[in-house]
């Protein structure tokens, strides 16, 4: 039986890392074999591309170069990790995937969706996550939380308007396809956020098209 593909999305400072740890525990508790991975990244080559993407540099990175690097890493990640793991029956838990490209490059960089949709078709045809958790917090709160961490990367240096476009894009994707996307209100206490996640995952497991 093919594994399930679960992705976690959200703007900066929504608590992805902490909540991914929680989801890993949930998967263990439910005796589900899985791999946990991320984008950009997830293979040695794709992690090198991640470094290129996140580095602050004097040269302006044009949006098309950024977009193509995202998909270059993704193609490698799908080929080396995601697809073989799903085919082997393992679940794949991925910190961001193509929805992040629609949100960050499509909306944030204002590239629109058309070019992304054609690259999406080229790189992963009709393959889509089975479940996408969108961790949502107001942008100001997220940036305040993220600001307390390490040095900002090239994306974290963007302005509030950029992240508002990113957030709105996630919310609108979720609104258009409530079957796949579940919005988690991540502005609440950690305990409540994790209750929402557990509820969503339990629901997914029991209603899942598993066979
Ligand atoms: P991370 O901070 O969640 O690890 O992600 C690194 C940055 O990459 C984050 O600011 C979002 C950005 N990103 C895109 O712009 N497009 C994409 O397709 C992906 C996967 C990430």
């Amino acid at each position: 039986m093919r594994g399930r593909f679960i992705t976690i999305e959200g703007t900066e400072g929504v608590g992805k890392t902490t909540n991914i740890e929680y989801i890993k525990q949930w998967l263990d508790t439910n005796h589900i074999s899985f791999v946990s991975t991320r984008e950009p990244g997830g293979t040695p080559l794709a992690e090198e591309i991640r470094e290129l993407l996140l580095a602050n540099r004097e040269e302006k990175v044009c949006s098309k170069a950024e977009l193509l690097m995202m998909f270059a890493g993704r193609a490698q990640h799908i080929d080396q990790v995601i697809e073989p793991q799903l085919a082997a029956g393992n679940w794949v838990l991925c910190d961001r995937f193509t929805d992040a490209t629609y949100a960050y490059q499509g909306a944030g960089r204002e590239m629109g969706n058309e070019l992304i949709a054609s690259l999406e078709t080229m790189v992963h045809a009709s393959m889509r996550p089975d479940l996408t958790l969108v961790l949502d917090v107001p942008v100001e709160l997220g940036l305040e939380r993220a600001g307390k961490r390490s040095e900002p990367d090239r994306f974290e240096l963007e302005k509030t308007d950029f992240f508002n476009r990113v957030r709105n894009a996630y919310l609108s994707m979720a609104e258009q396809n409530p079957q796949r996307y579940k919005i988690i209100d991540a502005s609440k206490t950690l305990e409540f956020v994790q209750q929402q996640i557990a509820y969503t995952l339990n629901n997914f497991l029991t209603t899942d098209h598993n066979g």
Side-chain angles (χ1 to χ4, degrees), residues 16-26:
K16 280 190 295 118
T17 311
T18 312
N19 289 304
I20 284 171
E21 285 310 310
Y22 178 76
I23 297 170
K24 284 156 79 173
Q25 278 174 29
W26 181 91

Side-chain angles (χ1 to χ4, degrees), residues 33-51:
S33 59
F34 69 95
V35 294
S36 176
T37 184
R38 69 170 179 184
E39 290 210 348
T43 83
L45 172 62
E47 288 290 330
E48 284 188 39
I49 297 175
R50 178 189 176 90
E51 302 270 311

Side-chain angles (χ1 to χ4, degrees), residues 8-12 16 38-41 50 53-54 66-67 70-71 74 95-105 109 149 153-156 162-163 170:
I8 318 297
E9 299 281 356
T11 52
E12 315 301 305
K16 280 190 295 118
R38 69 170 179 184
E39 290 210 348
R50 178 189 176 90
L53 277 160
L54 298 192
E66 182 177 285
L67 175 68
M70 290 293 174
F71 271 107
R74 182 162 299 137
D95 181 349
R96 300 193 186 282
F97 192 61
T98 302
D99 293 315
T101 312
Y102 282 107
Y104 281 77
Q105 281 65 50
R109 301 268 186 245
R149 298 197 304 242
D153 63 34
R154 199 169 57 80
F155 289 95
E156 288 164 345
F162 175 93
F163 292 113
Y170 278 130

Side-chain angles (χ1 to χ4, degrees), residues 91-149:
W91 288 33
V92 174
L93 175 63
C94 194
D95 181 349
R96 300 193 186 282
F97 192 61
T98 302
D99 293 315
T101 312
Y102 282 107
Y104 281 77
Q105 281 65 50
R109 301 268 186 245
E110 301 183 283
M111 296 187 81
N113 290 345
E114 211 172 308
L115 194 52
I116 300 174
S118 58
L119 289 168
E120 179 180 43
T121 304
M122 183 185 104
V123 171
H124 53 99
S126 60
M127 191 265 256
R128 297 287 177 276
D130 298 296
L131 175 68
T132 298
L133 300 181
V134 177
L135 302 184
D136 182 59
V137 300
V139 165
E140 280 80 5
L141 176 61
L143 291 178
E144 194 188 306
R145 287 182 184 171
K148 292 184 184 139
R149 298 197 304 242

